[in-house]
Structure formats: C-alpha cells, structure tokens
Amino acid sequence: MDFNDGYVMTIGGKAVAGTATIEVVNPATGEVFATAPDCSKEQLDEAVAAADKAFKSWRDTPIAERQVMVSRAADLLEAHADELARLFTREQGRPVDAAREEIAGAAVWMKAVAQMEPPVHVSEDSETQFIETRYVPLGVVCAIAPWNFPVNLAMWKVAPALVAGNTMVLKPSPFTPLCTLKIGEIFNEVFPEGVFNVISGGDALGPMMTAHPGFAKISFTGSTATGKRVMESAAKDLKRLTLELGGNDASIVFPDVDLDAVAQSIFMAAFYNTAQICVATKRLYVHEDVYDGLRDRLAALAGVVKVGDGAEQGTVLGPIQNKRQYDRVMALLEDAKSSGLTLIQGAAVPGGAGYFVPVTIVDNPPEDSRVVQEEAFGPILPMLKFSDVDDVIERANASEYGLGGTVWSADTKKAMDVARRLETGTVWVNQFLNLRPDTPFAGRKNSGFGVENGLEGLLEYMAPQAVYVAKS
Ligand code: NAD
C-alpha cells in the first residue's frame, strides 16, 4: 500500500474515489500536499446502504468472532504504525514518535475493548417464567471524528461499535482525513464488506450525515458548538447520541508540592500536542505561596522547548493543526495583548507559512478575561493565584465545561476530597492525561452527553432488550 498517494474511501468493501476532492495541507508548511475524496450525497447513501445490508449478518455473528476480528484489525494497525505515523505528521503536525505512540496506543485500546462483553441480567428464573435483560446492537453508527487525535478518537468509536454488533460509517475531520482513509483500506482485509466504511469530505458532509435517516446512532467528538448542532439534527428522528465535546480543565496546585517535579508534568499536561487536547490543563490555579516559583519554572521550560516541523528530529511541539484554529488562537492572543495582560512567551518558533504559535503563559489575568473563560485549544496557558480552597473550587467549577480536572498536592487525601468537589467527568490527582479503555470517559455540562470507554461506553452502542418467557 502506498501511504503517500491514492487516498480513497472504503464503501461496501470497495475502494471508491470521490467525484470531487478536498485539499489536505501540511500545517508545518502551510502547503497542500495531497487531496482526499469529497463524498457526494449518492456515495453517502451507498455507504449507509452497504452498512445496513452488512448489519443483518454482523449482528448475528457471534460476539466472540466479532471480538477476534476487531483484535486482528488492531494487529494490522500496529503493523502499519510506522508508515501511518509519517503520514500522520504530514497531515496533523505532531512529531513522528508521538504520532506513532497514538497509533500503537489505538491498537492496544482496540484489543482491550475486544475483551469486553455486555452483561446479561436474569431477574427471574422460577417455575412459571424466565426473565432476562440482554443487550442488542443498534444498527448503523455514524461516527464523526476531530483532527487533534484523529486515529485514537476514531478507534474509540470503531472498536466498541463493532464489537457490540453494529456497522459503521466513519468520517474523519476534513483537516486530517488521510490516515483514516488508509485505515479503512487496511481494515478491509479483516471485516466483511459493508461492516466498516470510511468516507471523507468537506464542511457539508457532517451535517449531511447527521441528517441521514439511515443511522441509528451518532457518535461525535468535536467542539461544543458543533455538538449542539449535531444534537439538534439527531432530534428529528431521535437518533441515539454520544457527544464528546470541548473542555476548559482547571488544574489546582497546593503549596506542599515538589515544584521541580510538578512543573515538568504541568508543562506537558498543558502543552502536549501543542495544547490541542480536550483534557489539557487550560486554567492553572496555583496557591499564592508557590505561584512565583512555579511560574518561573514553567517559563524556563517554555524557553527551551523545541517548537517546529514534526518531521524534524528533536521537535517536541508541532504547529497548530489548521489555519482556522491558528486564526482563533492568534485572535485570543491579540485579545490578551490588547487587554494589557502580562504574557511570558517561550522559545522562538519557525517563520514562514506554517501555523506556529510560541508557548505562552499569561501571568495572573483577571478571572473574567477571555483567555480564562474560553477553551484556547492552543498553547496559551493562564496562571491564576488562589489562597482559599473553597474559593478555588468555586472558580474551577465556574465554567460551562465539565470534562476533566487535576489536583496537585503531597496530601493525597486532601487532594482526593478536592477532586470529588470538581464538577467534571474525569479527575486526576498528582498525574495527568492518563486514560484507560476499561474506565468510563464522560463530559458533564457542555463537555458532553453520554460516555465513551469502559463497559458504559460499550453499552452506548447497544439497547437493553428485556425478554419474558412463560414456562408453563
Ligand atoms: P469540530 O466541531 O470543528 O469538528 C469535529 C468534526 O465534526 C469534524 O469531522 C467536522 O468535519 C464535523 N462537523 C463540522 N460541522 C458539523 C456539523 N454541523 N454536523 C456534523 N458534523 C460536523 O471540532 P474540531 O475543531 O475538529 O475539534 C476540536 C474540538 O473537539 C475541541 O473543542 C476539543 O475540546 C474537542 N474534543 C473533544 C474531545 C472529547 O473527547 N471530549 C476529544 C477531542 C477533541
């Protein structure tokens, strides 16, 4: 398989070119380096019809066989991780080693999900009747993925949906379609035709999918604004819905921490993947006794971090993934500057047409400034002072979002108590960005609707079916 060319959709087990194309840009150079198919309405109809036809037999395939196939698909993903990682860097911007980690990690994730099974609950088994609740698949799943973790977040949907017995039409972001299209071709070796379809297209394709009556469920990861549009569209025929949306995670640092150690961790929690992570640290609340010490350590790390083309050796942080997001981040930075906020900027970034932004720490801005209230999704970290525990918890919770949060303290019990009071689906204590396939991931408030991962995540792709059997 040529990973540098020939990007096609996978529809009903066949490689399908688009009737039109979209351009794919390398964010490190700003140049178009490939094109991907732009799926037409007719091709979407074909994909849904193929998935619907395949559903009838996939649903009746024993779960053990479906698990084996998902696990074999994961093996193939791992086997192609090197070629995919190089392509990933060109379309997404992240350094190659970190790109490979995502792809290999997605394979591990799929294998773990392939071990999962829905429960069966017997409520009565008497002389007169037998009653059980079992879980059955829903039908054709519409999966829509974002550009920040294009492979991993797509596989979070593929593995449980297919293990559960559904079929799928997956759409990657128009900014990062290429790895996903290749994965469609790779998985075609494993899954029966029509079980796993991959289509790509421009801004019109997402709404076309969510309005399509052939889908039983939509699983969407992306921004809160788009998630609300998806929910509106799904309401027309009450499609089942999982929405993994934005976040504005608070991280709270108590004065008893080892500053040198936590500075390293907090730097990566805030800036890994150039801060384009839904659960990145986006508001850093630091106790006033250690504020200056932590700020100076973070500034020192920002001063030496290598920001550049992910294809170059030694690069730690790549560019912002796309021009639209770059413009948003730059506008936020301009707003911070024109509001007179104090910015501490890190190492110089490459000039030219790439979408590079220097690592930026905003020194104790007002709580109501845009840089605190909005999800930056770029390397701008507001640091804020606190002195009182109740006050910092209230400020951390005063957000439309409720995705994740972190507490740093040598007193684990106190940190766990604080964590319990954070209104978020995930909390970390003295660690960051650790997620597992067997543990539910769910956003509260405007961060989401429903659950991914864990048994709860698997069951989001199924419906309970209560069976009442008379014995006499
Ligand atoms: P986005 O909402 O712009 O796009 C996400 C996907 O939706 C893309 O595939 C896009 O083509 C598609 N889309 C756009 N408009 C649509 C519409 N009207 N109907 C249906 N689909 C449509 O998001 P993004 O910029 O790609 O991703 C960044 C956002 O995603 C951030 O807010 C981030 O926090 C969030 N995110 C959340 C999680 C999570 O698990 N909670 C994970 C990663 C990213």
Side-chain angles (χ1 to χ4, degrees):
M1 188 181 293
D2 182 357
F3 284 78
N4 292 313
D5 202 7
Y7 304 104
V8 289
M9 301 186 285
T10 299
I11 298 177
K14 302 200 172 46
V16 177
T19 48
T21 56
I22 55 170
E23 293 183 333
V24 184
V25 171
N26 180 338
T29 62
E31 283 165 14
V32 174
F33 74 97
T35 60
D38 190 4
C39 185
S40 68
K41 172 75 172 72
E42 292 67 34
Q43 289 171 325
L44 169 62
D45 287 341
E46 282 166 28
V48 177
D52 188 52
K53 185 165 174 240
F55 175 63
K56 312 294 185 292
S57 47
W58 187 246
R59 173 189 61 193
D60 297 334
T61 302
I63 188 167
E65 287 177 34
R66 299 197 298 255
Q67 288 168 326
V68 167
M69 279 189 251
V70 168
S71 201
R72 276 182 49 212
D75 286 337
L76 290 180
L77 186 60
E78 167 67 42
H80 289 291
D82 289 334
E83 303 101 300
L84 283 168
R86 282 190 289 275
L87 177 60
F88 187 117
T89 298
R90 292 179 80 193
E91 68 171 338
Q92 204 276 346
R94 193 181 317 151
V96 180
D97 288 352
R100 199 190 183 288
E101 267 171 36
E102 174 171 337
I103 295 157
V108 170
W109 203 277
M110 290 175 75
K111 288 193 163 214
V113 175
Q115 306 288 319
M116 290 182 192
E117 231 172 284
V120 178
H121 177 68
V122 177
S123 5
E124 186 176 333
D125 189 4
S126 63
E127 278 178 18
T128 54
Q129 61 176 352
F130 173 79
I131 306 169
E132 73 170 19
T133 305
R134 61 197 182 191
Y135 288 85
V136 294
L138 300 170
V140 183
V141 172
C142 162
I144 300 181
W147 45 257
N148 62 331
F149 282 79
V151 173
N152 199 17
L153 295 176
M155 295 310 122
W156 278 22
K157 304 181 187 310
V158 174
L162 268 49
V163 164
N166 305 280
T167 55
M168 174 176 279
V169 181
L170 167 66
K171 184 193 88 65
S173 164
F175 296 115
T176 53
L178 303 179
C179 282
T180 311
L181 290 167
K182 286 294 168 194
I183 290 169
E185 285 190 84
I186 292 167
F187 285 7
N188 210 22
E189 278 183 38
V190 175
F191 296 118
E193 63 179 47
V195 166
F196 179 58
N197 306 273
V198 179
I199 60 176
S200 60
D203 287 343
L205 185 57
M208 224 194 282
M209 290 175 80
T210 59
H212 199 292
F215 289 113
K217 155 135 197 154
I218 302 171
S219 180
F220 171 86
T221 303
S223 64
T224 296
T226 310
K228 288 177 181 174
R229 284 195 281 277
V230 170
M231 192 162 186
E232 249 179 75
S233 173
K236 289 190 193 77
D237 37 20
L238 283 184
K239 290 186 185 86
R240 273 40 191 163
L241 208 53
T242 302
L243 300 176
E244 290 294 352
L245 309 177
N248 198 8
D249 288 16
S251 181
I252 300 173
V253 185
F254 284 98
D256 55 359
V257 295
D258 171 347
L259 276 188
D260 288 325
V262 299
Q264 297 275 354
S265 299
I266 290 172
F267 190 83
M268 290 319 279
F271 298 115
Y272 183 74
N273 201 34
T274 316
Q276 302 163 115
I277 307 186
C278 53
V279 283
T281 289
K282 292 174 185 153
R283 295 176 290 152
L284 180 60
Y285 292 96
V286 186
H287 192 277
E288 58 187 3
D289 291 354
V290 289
Y291 182 93
D292 290 356
L294 185 56
R295 182 199 53 208
D296 295 348
R297 283 168 174 79
L298 290 174
L301 292 169
V304 295
V305 69
K306 182 172 177 201
V307 181
D309 187 334
E312 280 170 22
Q313 274 289 324
T315 298
V316 177
L317 302 178
I320 294 289
Q321 197 281 322
N322 61 74
K323 178 75 167 62
R324 212 185 279 174
Q325 184 61 23
Y326 174 77
D327 289 345
R328 248 182 243 143
V329 173
M330 291 309 280
L332 203 56
L333 213 47
E334 278 312 311
D335 177 80
K337 276 185 198 160
S338 63
S339 308
L341 304 183
T342 308
L343 307 185
I344 301 165
Q345 293 208 302
V349 300
Y355 311 139
F356 293 101
V357 177
V359 168
T360 304
I361 294 160
V362 189
D363 190 1
N364 206 25
E367 195 74 34
D368 63 356
S369 53
R370 277 186 61 196
V371 79
V372 179
Q373 292 302 318
E374 294 180 21
E375 178 188 37
F377 224 59
I380 311 174
L381 178 68
M383 274 186 84
L384 303 114
K385 277 185 197 169
F386 79 89
S387 54
D388 176 71
V389 179
D390 291 337
D391 169 63
V392 77
I393 292 172
E394 201 169 311
R395 287 157 73 192
N397 285 336
S399 168
E400 63 174 299
Y401 297 108
L403 198 57
T406 316
V407 185
W408 300 94
S409 170
D411 181 343
T412 308
K413 187 183 169 309
K414 180 178 79 182
M416 283 179 72
D417 285 342
V418 171
R420 194 170 297 114
R421 294 168 66 193
L422 294 180
E423 296 162 358
T424 64
T426 301
V427 278
W428 289 282
V429 172
N430 296 328
Q431 56 162 298
F432 63 100
L433 300 181
N434 182 16
L435 295 171
R436 290 170 54 107
D438 59 359
T439 304
F441 180 73
R444 289 168 64 182
K445 301 194 258 184
N446 274 355
S447 289
F449 191 90
V451 187
E452 287 201 291
N453 309 328
L455 183 59
E456 294 90 336
L458 180 70
L459 297 183
E460 292 245 331
Y461 290 99
M462 311 192 88
Q465 184 182 52
V467 189
Y468 292 73
V469 184
K471 284 194 177 169
S472 50

